[in-house]
Structure formats: structure tokens, C-alpha cells
Amino acid sequence: MKNLTYFVLLGILAMQPLFAQHTLTGNITDAQTNESLAFVNIYFPQLEKGTNSNENGEFSIDNIPSGNHKLVISFVGYETFAKTISFPVSEPLIIQLNPSAIEMEQIIISTPFHKLQSENVMKVERQSIKEMKASGAVNISEGITNIAGVSSVSTGLSIGKPVIRGLSSNRVLVYAQGVRLENQQFGDEHGLGLNDAGVESVEVIKGPASLLYGSDALGGVLYLNPERFSAENSSEGNIRATYFTNTQGYNTSAGYKSSGSDFKYIFRGSVSEHSDYETQDYRVTNTRFREQDFKAGIGYQKNKFKTELRYNINQSKLGIPEDIGDQNTNRTPLEPFQELTNHIFSSKSTVFFNNSSLDLTIGYLYNDRKEFEDHHHGDEDEHEDDDHEEEVHEEDEAAALHMKLKTFNYDAKYHLPHIGKFETIVGVQGMNQVNTNYGEELLIPNATTNDIGVLATSHIHFETIDIQLGARFDNRSITINDRINKDFNSFNGAFGMKTNLFKNVTARLNLASGFRAPNLAELASDGTHEGTNRYEIGNLDLNNEQNLQVDLALEYKNEHVEIFANAFYNSINDYIFLSPDGNFINEDPVYVYLQDNARLYGGEFGFHFHPHPLDWLHVETSFETVTGQLEDDSYLPLIPANSLHNTLRVEFEKEWFKQGYAFVKYSSTFNQNNVSAFETPTAAYNLLSAGFGGTIKVFKNDLEVSVSATNITDEKYINHLSRLKADGILNMGRNISFGLNYTL
């Protein structure tokens, strides 16, 4: 299969004959006043080409291939306009935008047909990294918890795993740079290994997405969109810095991007460093961490072919907290700690035919994970400072756990010509993965995994209803220690529909199945993982997890009010979970993997009020709830507590202070008493946050300024999904962040 993929890629690179190219011109005005609108964003998402309108509302985009291409026009204060245009076109495009106080819509990339959210059959949540930073998030793992239905299993501040409606680890698939992220995500204290620098936005599919993504998308998908290249024939650079008072830490990044008519490139480097986070009573020892990240990309577009190559290296050193010890603000992690190096290479190419297109995405990921444990060698190991301690670690100690995971994956999708009201995609996806051990401890064995899946999906647009359906078959083959072979097969499907029940009321109903093959830890682990305090033993007899989820989403929207209600019911057969068997090995309790049927249900509900003529005022409220149970009605572990969020936000525009905003947010998290037999309940708590920001001119360039404060009242609390909960260790106290972003 690898050789076939290479030949396909070489064939695509060779397919660059001279094709007819087209130019789109047009004019954009206000629908109410007929005044021209300047600096409106005009963008072809599939082509990744765009421009801005000039002072007269005029625009022009060259080198557009023949065929059908979606055009998206967006501007602050106006409804987003989207239209599929067939090229060649005979006359200029005249667009009138309708004023609106509602935020601009964006194209959803994680779904196959790349539509606006209002056009999507499947409800997808989206949030920009800029919004996450404005809320005071220290990193991306913390930032995603601002998205409805998304939480994070945390080990301190630096290590977080996404949780979507109560499901996490290998049940949630993460995509970065268009390829699936593989970084030993089975481990409780294995984080994302990603930095938010160079990431534009995050999209969340809540529910089975195996039709599109195969195994491990049983619970949903976290899709990270990389930073866009600059507009054609333009260049842009910026420097960002944020300081956090609680950890006395900082996040910094610098980047530059430039695009010509054919070639474009982008690069960004970042450094983050934090000391132990502080609560009202103490600092939580060894929550300190350091992270370095570099991203680069190059793109090329000519005639009917476009391609881009991206690379990301992330190096981090993360402390693993165990108890409250030394109280200081040093930044060098103590033992135990992780050293991670994560490489992501990705290639995305598209060939445009007259009425169809072929997408090919190839990824190679190299994850190097080392974990260092506590060692005691007598007086010679007593060091005066952390710098000396780090030097001894590097020179004298080998990693107790050292695993390298190498993953090659590919994804080819052919967009068939439109047949009447049908848009159809057929595709093939696959993965080859090799796990190798180098450390003295073996938690999971050496193994090779091979995946292949074939799929077909269609979007049908009728006058009053949109329907999306599809089917897929997958095979996963796992070879363990070159002697044990396991095969897993699954057939999955999805059906969804969207319609307007009444004026301003939209309904979405989705029914989808998903599956997850057991991971290596569940099949063959045999050892104690640092930080878990348990000895885990795998089970080679485990079956696929298979689920079926029903989603119902209702949305009412007019000029002043938005109301939404999203409800789901998720039934999972052969749910895999850990359970103690009563034995002990090396003083650690033994946990084994078992299976039973399970169910999860709940939803997200809320409203957004922006009264006219006070369009600058926004009042938002949302409520989230999820319940997870096994077939015997006992509760599943790591289910987030119910929560209520209330936000008051204002937006303002001054001649000297552009795109200004201010907000106050009050979040209430309720008691979590529905716990598994091996969990403790969690008490309720309330958190107050606030912030403001905007853009000013400094030396004729834009300087974005932001100030935000979280947990303003310095509340003592423990999140139910904190892995430090068992030791009664508090979550972070008051934190004030100061951010600057200067455009060069």
C-alpha cells in the first residue's frame, strides 16, 4: 500500500499541463445603504485563495481553475455570504451583505463538504485560538474546555487530554495539519504534545465520526486548523508574548509568512516556560514545564494543481506532580518527568478536474517519549539547585520508560462531479504504525499496526431539507512482538438531515455508528506506569468497542436572539474499562481490562442575546450535562460534572482603539456525585473571570493588547477530571495574564 501511495503522489506531481485559468471580479456593498464595503474578506477555502475588497468595494482574484468552487465572503458586522460558483463566469459578481450583530460564520474544515456551520448537516463547534487566549487559557489543553461539551483530563497544568461528552483517550481522535495525531495517547498522563502557536482554530465533532476518520473516532474528533498562509502577493510577520502571574511563566512566539502568485511559505517558532502553579495555600510541586515548538510550511499552486508541505517539531519537558513538596518558582522539572519530542510531517495536495477534484493527504509522525522516575543513590544525589539536578539527569540517568512511535498515514478522497442535487465523495484511508521500546521498563510491547478503510458519503440538497449519508468498512491488523496477530473489522454508517421546522428554527437529526479497536495498552500492557500508582495487565481477548449515537439539535435565531438545544444518546457495546482484581505487584494494586455495555446521554443548552440597537452588548448562557453508566447502572469514571456558564460581553470601536472588547464570565460547576466505584465525589465551585483587549497603532503597525484574569476570587476547588484529585490537590488559583501581539 505504501508503494501504491508513492506512485499516486508522483503521478499527481507530474500532472501539471497548461489549463485554462479564470479571473473573478466583483463588487461588495451594504444591502441596506448600497454603500461600498472596503476590506471585506473574499476567500475560496478549497483553493486556499483569497483577497480583500478595496476602498470602492471592488475585488479581483486570478488563476482560478475551471469547475465548481465555494466562495465565502465575510466581514465584521455582516452575515457571512457563501455561494458555489461554476467557472468560467461571464460577468462580475455583485454581492450585497446584510448587517448582523451575530459573529461571522466560518467554513467548517473537519466535515467532508466544507460548508458554513449554518449549511452543515452535522453540528460542529468551532473556536479560534485568539478567543481562547483572550479568555486567559495558558495552553491549548486548557483552552478547549471553553468549547461546549468539551473538557480535559488534567495532570497539573501542562498535561491535558481532551474529553468530548464524557469520552477521552483513544476514543477521541485529534487531527493536526490535516493528519491524525498519534502520540501514545492511551496513557492517563499523556498530553496532546501540541503548542497553540501556528494554530488558527479548533473544531470539535461531538459523537461518532468513524465514517470520516475510522477507528478511534468513536467519541468525536478534535480538529486543529493550522495558521493560513498570507494572501496572494503579500507578506506578514508578528511577535507575540503573554505573561502569567500565577506561574510566573510566559508564552512567546514569532512568525513570518509570504505569498507570491505561485509559491507561499510560513514559519513560526515559540517558547513557553512555567513554574509550579499556585493555589491559595501552596504551590503544586512539579507542575512546572518547558516547551519549544517550531512550525514551517511551503505551498505551491499552479493551473489545476495545489500542494502544501508542513512540518512541526515540539520538544517539551513536563513535570509529573505526585505530592506537595518544595515551594519555589524554579522552572526545571523534578523527577518524575517526561521528555517528549514530537515530529509531524504532512503533505496535502489537490488536483482539480473540470467538475471534480482529487485530494491526497500524507503524514509521517515520529513520537519519542521518555519518562524518568525517582531514583535514590545516597548523598551524591543531593543537589543544591535544579540546574545541577538537571545536569545529573542528562549525564547519569537513562529513561526508565522510553518508547518511539512511528506512524505513516494516508488519505485519498475523490470529489465526484455533481449529479443533480448530489455531492459525493469516495475515499481510502490507511495507517502503518510501529511502536518500539528502548527503556528498562516495558509498559506496552513492541508492535506493528496496519489500518485500511474505504468510504463513500453524499450530501443531497433539496429545497427544504439537506441530507447527508455514507458508509465505510475498516480493517485493523496488530502484530505484537512478531508472534501475536490480532485482526479487527468494522462496518459503519451515518445518516443526517437538516431542515427548517419553522421560520428561524433549524433542526438537525444525526444517527451515526462508530468503532474503536483495542489499543496496545488494553491488549498487552504489563507494568506500572509512572504517576498512575497501579500495575496494569492487558487482555488479548478484548473485542471492538462499537457504538450508535443519536443527536438532535434545535436552533432558533433572529436578529437579536439565538437559542440552541443539543441532546444526544450514545450506546456503546463492549466498552473497555480498568478494574482492580484485588492483587498487588510491587506494592501497587493490579488493574485488569474488562468489557461491558455502556451508555452516555446529555447535551448542551443555551442562548445568546444581542439586543437592537445595543448591538455591542452580548449576554450568553450555556449549560452542559452528561451521564455515563455501565449496563448494571453503575457510573463510568471521568465523567465531567454538570456546569453553567454566564458571560456578559461588550464590543466597541474607537478611532484609537480598534476591535475593542471586554467580558465578565461566571461559571458554576455542580457537585459530581455520580462516580464509579473507584472515584471520590467532587464538590461544587464557582469561578469568576474577566478581561478586555483591543488593537492600537504603534509605529504605524497594529499592536493587539489583552488582559484577562481567571479565578479572580482565588477559589479553592478541585475539578472532577483532575488526576491530582485523589491526593486532594487543588486546581490553580487566581491567574492574571498580559498579552501583546505586534504585527510587523
Side-chain angles (χ1 to χ4, degrees):
M1 182 57 68
K2 275 188 180 180
N3 291 335
L4 175 61
T5 303
Y6 292 143
F7 283 128
V8 171
L9 179 60
L10 290 173
I12 290 176
L13 293 173
M15 293 174 60
Q16 299 187 50
L18 294 177
F19 291 95
Q21 299 292 288
H22 308 286
T23 297
L24 177 67
T25 61
N27 184 269
I28 302 175
T29 60
D30 185 300
Q32 295 182 358
T33 66
N34 287 323
E35 293 181 357
S36 297
L37 296 177
F39 309 113
V40 176
N41 181 260
I42 302 101
Y43 190 67
F44 287 97
Q46 191 177 14
L47 299 175
E48 296 186 49
K49 293 177 69 70
T51 187
N52 293 321
S53 60
N54 62 21
E55 294 180 355
N56 298 318
E58 300 167 341
F59 69 90
S60 178
I61 303 178
D62 299 322
N63 300 322
I64 302 174
S66 299
N68 299 316
H69 307 295
K70 174 166 281 269
L71 175 69
V72 177
I73 298 176
S74 57
F75 192 49
V76 175
Y78 291 84
E79 292 181 5
T80 299
F81 174 89
K83 181 179 181 180
T84 299
I85 301 176
S86 297
F87 287 87
V89 294
S90 58
E91 55 188 34
L93 190 65
I94 306 300
I95 300 296
Q96 290 190 317
L97 297 183
N98 294 308
S100 173
I102 301 172
E103 285 81 358
M104 294 184 301
E105 283 194 272
Q106 301 289 342
I107 287 289
I108 301 299
I109 304 299
S110 56
T111 53
F113 298 100
H114 294 182
K115 297 182 180 296
L116 293 175
Q117 178 66 295
S118 60
E119 302 172 324
N120 250 0
V121 172
M122 181 187 300
K123 182 71 179 292
V124 178
E125 302 290 346
R126 182 189 184 278
Q127 189 169 79
S128 69
I129 295 298
K130 183 177 180 180
E131 292 172 321
M132 291 184 184
K133 289 180 176 294
S135 70
V138 176
N139 51 35
I140 199 168
S141 296
E142 184 183 11
I144 60 176
T145 62
N146 292 315
I147 301 174
V150 182
S151 308
S152 180
V153 176
S154 63
T155 306
L157 184 62
S158 63
I159 302 172
K161 303 175 69 65
V163 180
I164 299 178
R165 289 176 167 175
L167 297 177
S168 61
S169 297
N170 280 81
R171 298 181 180 96
V172 171
L173 196 58
V174 179
Y175 259 62
Q177 298 178 193
V179 298
R180 58 185 292 160
L181 183 67
E182 294 289 327
N183 63 350
Q184 308 280 5
Q185 59 265 38
F186 66 86
D188 286 347
E189 74 285 7
H190 294 178
L192 286 173
L194 293 169
N195 189 282
D196 58 35
V199 178
E200 181 182 279
S201 63
V202 177
E203 297 175 12
V204 180
I205 298 176
K206 296 181 291 189
S210 292
L211 170 65
L212 305 176
Y213 297 102
S215 178
D216 300 355
L218 175 142
V221 176
L222 193 72
Y223 196 99
L224 284 73
N225 291 309
E227 183 179 0
R228 290 183 185 179
F229 292 98
S230 61
E232 192 170 301
N233 297 317
S234 68
S235 299
E236 179 184 334
N238 74 322
I239 301 174
R240 298 173 183 165
T242 307
Y243 176 77
F244 301 89
T245 60
N246 185 287
T247 62
Q248 298 183 23
Y250 61 84
N251 297 348
T252 61
S253 77
Y256 183 79
K257 52 187 176 182
S258 181
S259 297
S261 57
D262 297 335
F263 283 97
K264 49 191 175 183
Y265 64 88
I266 186 172
F267 61 85
R268 179 169 298 281
S270 66
V271 177
S272 301
E273 198 168 34
H274 294 264
S275 64
D276 297 338
Y277 76 75
E278 189 174 23
T279 71
Q280 192 180 115
D281 297 333
Y282 47 75
R283 288 191 178 275
V284 180
T285 307
N286 212 25
T287 55
R288 61 195 72 173
F289 67 96
R290 299 187 303 182
E291 183 180 29
Q292 297 170 293
D293 188 88
F294 177 76
K295 294 182 175 73
I298 183 170
Y300 172 77
Q301 184 167 350
K302 190 71 173 178
N303 302 321
K304 289 198 169 187
F305 173 76
K306 76 177 181 73
T307 188
E308 67 177 60
L309 301 172
R310 290 186 185 255
Y311 169 67
N312 175 214
I313 179 173
N314 182 280
Q315 292 181 313
S316 55
K317 191 171 184 177
L318 314 173
I320 302 177
E322 293 185 314
D323 50 35
I324 305 302
D326 294 340
Q327 297 290 289
N328 57 53
T329 56
N330 295 330
R331 295 190 175 101
T332 302
L334 306 169
E335 291 182 333
F337 66 90
Q338 302 177 8
E339 278 189 0
L340 305 176
T341 302
N342 201 41
H343 300 266
I344 305 175
F345 300 87
S346 64
S347 167
K348 294 174 61 180
S349 301
T350 303
V351 177
F352 298 97
F353 307 107
N354 284 336
N355 292 301
S356 62
S357 62
L358 175 65
D359 297 331
L360 178 63
T361 302
I362 295 175
Y364 179 76
L365 295 88
Y366 174 43
N367 179 257
D368 189 351
R369 177 178 296 274
K370 299 178 182 178
E371 295 188 7
F372 295 83
E373 300 179 359
D374 290 308
H375 292 274
H376 304 282
H377 304 298
D379 294 338
E380 64 181 4
D381 275 352
E382 295 182 2
H383 309 298
E384 296 181 357
D385 55 54
D386 286 341
D387 292 334
H388 188 192
E389 184 174 21
E390 179 186 23
E391 181 180 333
V392 173
H393 291 166
E394 293 176 350
E395 293 181 359
D396 297 342
E397 290 186 14
L401 185 71
H402 186 188
M403 297 182 291
K404 294 183 180 181
L405 188 70
K406 301 175 183 178
T407 307
F408 169 80
N409 53 47
Y410 59 90
D411 181 351
K413 289 189 175 72
Y414 179 59
H415 298 249
L416 278 68
H418 290 198
I419 302 175
K421 301 179 183 295
F422 282 76
E423 296 178 66
T424 301
I425 296 173
V426 295
V428 58
Q429 293 176 331
M431 179 181 76
N432 171 264
Q433 185 176 88
V434 179
N435 181 74
T436 309
N437 286 277
Y438 296 88
E440 60 187 53
E441 292 185 3
L442 295 179
L443 177 63
I444 60 174
N446 297 340
T448 300
T449 302
N450 285 290
D451 282 359
I452 186 168
V454 292
L455 68 105
T457 181
S458 292
H459 183 106
I460 313 166
H461 179 72
F462 298 105
E463 292 296 327
T464 59
I465 189 171
D466 284 270
I467 292 176
Q468 188 172 314
L469 50 85
R472 176 181 177 125
F473 175 78
D474 282 273
N475 170 263
R476 169 167 287 190
S477 173
I478 303 177
T479 302
I480 301 173
N481 287 330
D482 294 324
R483 58 185 178 83
I484 300 175
N485 295 297
K486 300 290 293 183
D487 273 287
F488 302 93
N489 300 301
S490 185
F491 181 84
N492 291 280
F495 173 83
M497 56 187 294
K498 179 185 76 74
T499 188
N500 293 325
L501 293 179
F502 310 101
K503 183 180 180 181
N504 299 330
V505 177
T506 300
R508 292 179 172 88
L509 177 65
N510 283 274
L511 179 66
S513 67
F515 87 105
R516 183 179 75 89
N519 61 43
L520 281 178
E522 294 161 339
L523 289 170
S525 61
D526 189 5
T528 301
H529 203 168
E530 187 67 30
T532 64
N533 297 320
R534 64 183 179 228
Y535 195 101
E536 299 179 7
I537 297 178
N539 181 355
L540 286 171
D541 295 325
L542 294 175
N543 300 317
N544 276 343
E545 289 184 340
Q546 191 78 43
N547 76 325
L548 182 66
Q549 179 166 309
V550 179
D551 282 273
L552 176 63
L554 298 174
E555 182 178 302
Y556 172 82
K557 180 185 295 186
N558 66 18
E559 188 179 356
H560 313 296
V561 177
E562 297 174 71
I563 302 173
F564 68 89
N566 307 325
F568 75 94
Y569 185 89
N570 188 2
S571 175
I572 307 177
N573 292 330
D574 291 323
Y575 180 89
I576 301 171
F577 60 96
L578 270 172
S579 179
D581 67 357
N583 297 315
F584 288 82
I585 297 179
N586 298 328
E587 299 183 354
D588 291 321
V590 174
Y591 277 68
V592 296
Y593 287 95
L594 303 176
Q595 288 189 297
D596 196 358
N597 296 335
R599 61 185 180 274
L600 297 98
Y601 52 91
E604 304 85 38
F605 314 90
F607 76 91
H608 177 189
F609 179 51
H610 39 87
H612 184 75
L614 306 179
D615 293 336
W616 48 268
L617 176 64
H618 298 261
V619 180
E620 302 174 38
T621 293
S622 65
F623 175 73
E624 306 170 28
T625 179
V626 58
T627 300
Q629 296 175 288
L630 290 173
E631 199 167 48
D632 63 2
D633 292 335
S634 62
Y635 291 102
L636 298 178
L638 297 177
I639 299 298
N642 297 343
S643 60
L644 176 68
H645 308 279
N646 297 284
T647 303
L648 177 67
R649 181 164 52 93
V650 297
E651 299 171 347
F652 53 92
E653 191 86 11
K654 301 291 185 181
E655 185 174 340
W656 61 276
F657 199 70
K658 303 292 186 182
Q659 299 176 349
Y661 68 88
F663 72 90
V664 177
K665 182 177 181 179
Y666 190 74
S667 297
S668 300
T669 300
F670 301 100
N671 295 324
Q672 178 55 294
N673 297 317
N674 298 334
V675 297
S676 74
F678 316 109
E679 284 186 306
T680 55
T682 309
Y685 57 88
N686 301 296
L687 299 179
L688 177 66
S689 305
F692 69 90
T695 302
I696 59 176
K697 286 288 185 181
V698 176
F699 303 118
K700 298 183 179 181
N701 291 325
D702 288 341
L703 174 65
E704 295 179 22
V705 180
S706 64
V707 179
S708 62
T710 58
N711 194 5
I712 293 175
T713 60
D714 210 15
E715 175 96 353
K716 294 182 180 180
Y717 76 100
I718 299 177
N719 187 286
H720 188 69
L721 299 188
S722 170
R723 293 188 61 252
L724 307 182
K725 178 169 70 78
D727 297 317
I729 296 176
L730 299 172
N731 282 79
M732 189 164 64
R734 182 188 300 114
N735 185 31
I736 303 174
S737 64
F738 304 89
L740 299 173
N741 179 19
Y742 186 64
T743 301
L744 304 175

